[in-house]
Amino acid sequence: MLEGFIGANDDLKLVDIFIDDGYSGVSFERPDFKRMIADMEKGEIGTVITKDLSRLGRDYLKTGTYIEIIFTQNDVRYIAVN
């Protein structure tokens, strides 16, 4: 689904896929989430795309902090496809 979305948008390029299977979205101490944040802080990511907001995180206050503050400070656009 997400690869199709990226393919349909010429301004997007797939750089990496981050998957935290087996980890609860309530915690932001997930290995691939932390790797994604580290890559973002190095300037390697310009856009984060998820199926829906709950795939980024289940704690909506912390998720909002990432979207509104941390991503913005790092010039990262967030897209929830659904």
Side-chain angles (χ1 to χ4, degrees), residues 24-59:
S24 171
V26 173
S27 171
F28 287 88
E29 296 300 314
R30 306 183 312 261
D32 257 15
F33 181 82
K34 290 167 76 173
R35 184 171 67 90
M36 179 189 74
I37 296 301
D39 287 354
M40 179 192 70
E41 290 173 343
K42 290 186 277 185
E44 297 175 0
I45 296 173
T47 304
V48 171
I49 304 170
T50 61
K51 176 182 171 188
D52 57 52
L53 183 61
S54 71
R55 300 295 92 199
L56 185 63
R58 298 274 170 85
D59 178 332

Side-chain angles (χ1 to χ4, degrees), residues 41-82:
E41 290 173 343
K42 290 186 277 185
E44 297 175 0
I45 296 173
T47 304
V48 171
I49 304 170
T50 61
K51 176 182 171 188
D52 57 52
L53 183 61
S54 71
R55 300 295 92 199
L56 185 63
R58 298 274 170 85
D59 178 332
Y60 289 101
L61 291 176
K62 276 190 175 180
T63 301
T65 299
Y66 275 99
I67 294 169
E68 298 295 328
I69 298 171
I70 297 169
F71 287 4
T72 302
Q73 289 173 344
N74 288 280
D75 294 319
V76 172
R77 177 173 64 164
Y78 175 69
I79 299 170
V81 175
N82 283 339

Side-chain angles (χ1 to χ4, degrees), residues 2-3 5-7 9-17 44-49 77:
L2 299 180
E3 289 175 354
F5 179 82
I6 292 167
N9 291 276
D10 294 335
D11 64 324
L12 298 175
K13 175 185 163 194
L14 180 61
V15 174
D16 205 342
I17 297 173
E44 297 175 0
I45 296 173
T47 304
V48 171
I49 304 170
R77 177 173 64 164

